């Protein structure tokens, strides 16, 4: 498989005919440069957030991972990497489908028309020297083969071309934008406000202003309105019962479509 656009955006591109997980492959690889990219159209054992299985349709979905060397990025700023990955993927999807209604569901699910087209997972290497960010994008999956009723694909929103061409277009711009955004954050010493990361996430995030249900670690549930993303990247939720606010660092967020 040929990915000419991505070959120009990444210093080292590995395209696999099939694999269990591009994230696992890249985490285990040695001597890979910053922005090294591994990709496939046939991933069988991908994982999403909260260790959920990420199922991709062979030949119709992209699974890809990018290696980001930390460099001088402070530990406290690492939580911004998956958020910026979502911002970068949102921009990439918008270029392909040409739709204004491409948004993020906090922290980093990319949606078109409110339905999920891409999931992202960031994993820190055991020695904390680098982060691997994985993406799963539904490219040409028809409606009757989507994994859930709230999923969608690029093809269902007017993206034209083969799965391979769409994969190259999406991946190349994602790698370039992700490298730029993380570079800006690093140059700002991890300051999300100074680098523009905070404004970019707030602008992209459709969760803000929505009534949400958040399943918190440990099993507690928070229902209320998502009112902000704070300077640490946490989702700030105003409780529907107490009126108080809680800053959520991790949790499973559902947009409540009906009151």
């Amino acid at each position: 498989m040929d990915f000419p656009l991505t070959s120009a955006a990444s210093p080292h591109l590995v395209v696999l005919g099939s694999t269990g997980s591009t994230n696992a492959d890249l985490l285990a690889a040695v001597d890979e440069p910053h922005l090294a990219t591994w990709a496939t159209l046939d991933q069988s054992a991908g994982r999403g957030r909260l260790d959920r299985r990420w199922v991709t349709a062979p030949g119709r979905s992209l699974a890809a991972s990018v290696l980001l060397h930390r460099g001088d990025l402070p530990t406290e700023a690492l939580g911004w990497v998956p958020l910026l990955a979502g911002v970068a993927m949102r921009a990439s999807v918008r270029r392909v489908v040409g739709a204004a209604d491409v948004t993020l569901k906090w922290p980093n699910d990319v949606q078109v028309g409110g339905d999920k087209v891409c999931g992202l997972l960031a994993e820190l290497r055991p020695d904390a020297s680098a982060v691997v960010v994985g993406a799963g994008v539904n490219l040409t999956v028809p409606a009757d083969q989507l994994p859930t009723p709230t999923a969608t694909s690029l093809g269902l929103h007017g993206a034209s071309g083969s799965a391979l061409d769409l994969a190259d277009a999406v991946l190349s711009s994602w790698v370039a934008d992700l490298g730029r955004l993380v570079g800006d954050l690093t140059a700002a010493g991890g300051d999300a406000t100074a680098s523009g990361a905070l404004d970019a996430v707030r602008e992209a995030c459709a969760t803000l202003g929505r009534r949400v249900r958040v399943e918190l670690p440990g099993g507690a549930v928070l229902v209320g309105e998502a009112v902000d993303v704070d300077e640490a990247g946490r989702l700030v939720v105003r409780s529907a019962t107490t009126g108080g606010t809680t800053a959520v660092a991790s949790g499973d967020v559902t947009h409540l479509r009906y009151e």
Side-chain angles (χ1 to χ4, degrees):
M1 289 185 290
D2 191 18
F3 281 59
L5 299 176
T6 308
S7 293
S10 170
H12 186 214
L13 173 65
V14 176
V15 180
L16 303 165
S18 63
T19 190
S21 165
T22 58
N23 257 33
D25 292 341
L26 192 47
L27 281 166
V30 296
D31 298 327
E32 288 288 332
H34 182 65
L35 296 183
T37 304
W38 290 40
T40 187
L41 297 187
D42 186 3
Q43 177 174 266
S44 59
R47 291 185 300 111
R49 293 180 59 250
L50 306 178
D51 276 331
R52 292 193 180 102
R53 187 182 177 206
W54 176 265
V55 180
T56 60
R60 294 183 177 273
S61 297
L62 168 69
S65 299
V66 178
L67 180 72
L68 299 163
H69 285 291
R70 275 186 62 184
D72 296 326
L73 188 64
T75 298
E76 59 270 20
L78 286 173
W80 282 99
V81 173
L83 295 168
L84 292 176
V87 170
M89 183 59 78
R90 179 210 183 206
S92 186
V93 169
R94 288 181 76 174
R95 292 186 187 104
V96 172
V97 301
D101 192 18
V102 182
T103 57
L104 296 184
K105 181 170 79 72
W106 186 92
N108 53 19
D109 281 351
V110 180
Q111 300 182 324
V112 184
D115 292 326
K116 182 175 178 178
V117 74
C118 172
L120 295 143
L121 177 68
E123 298 183 89
L124 187 65
R125 274 191 165 170
D127 64 1
S129 65
V131 179
V132 171
V133 184
V137 186
N138 293 325
L139 301 170
T140 58
V141 185
D144 61 356
Q145 293 181 25
L146 290 165
T148 69
T150 56
T152 190
S153 68
L154 299 180
L156 293 175
H157 290 274
S160 59
S162 68
L164 183 59
D165 288 342
L166 289 175
D168 191 24
V170 169
L171 184 56
S172 60
S173 60
W174 181 55
V175 171
D177 283 356
L178 179 57
R180 175 182 56 80
L181 290 167
V182 173
D184 289 346
L185 182 64
T186 303
D191 187 324
T193 301
S195 69
L198 178 57
D199 285 344
V201 171
R202 284 173 171 166
E203 188 275 330
C205 187
T207 303
L208 296 182
R210 296 287 298 266
R211 183 173 171 82
V212 297
R213 181 180 188 272
V214 186
E215 295 181 31
L216 300 168
V221 173
L222 174 63
V223 176
E225 181 186 359
V227 295
D228 198 10
V229 173
D230 71 12
E231 293 183 355
R234 299 174 300 182
L235 184 68
V236 180
V237 179
R238 180 180 295 119
S239 170
T241 55
T242 69
T245 59
T246 300
V248 177
S250 64
D252 193 15
V253 176
T254 301
H255 290 177
L256 299 179
R257 301 191 180 200
Y258 306 102
E259 298 292 335

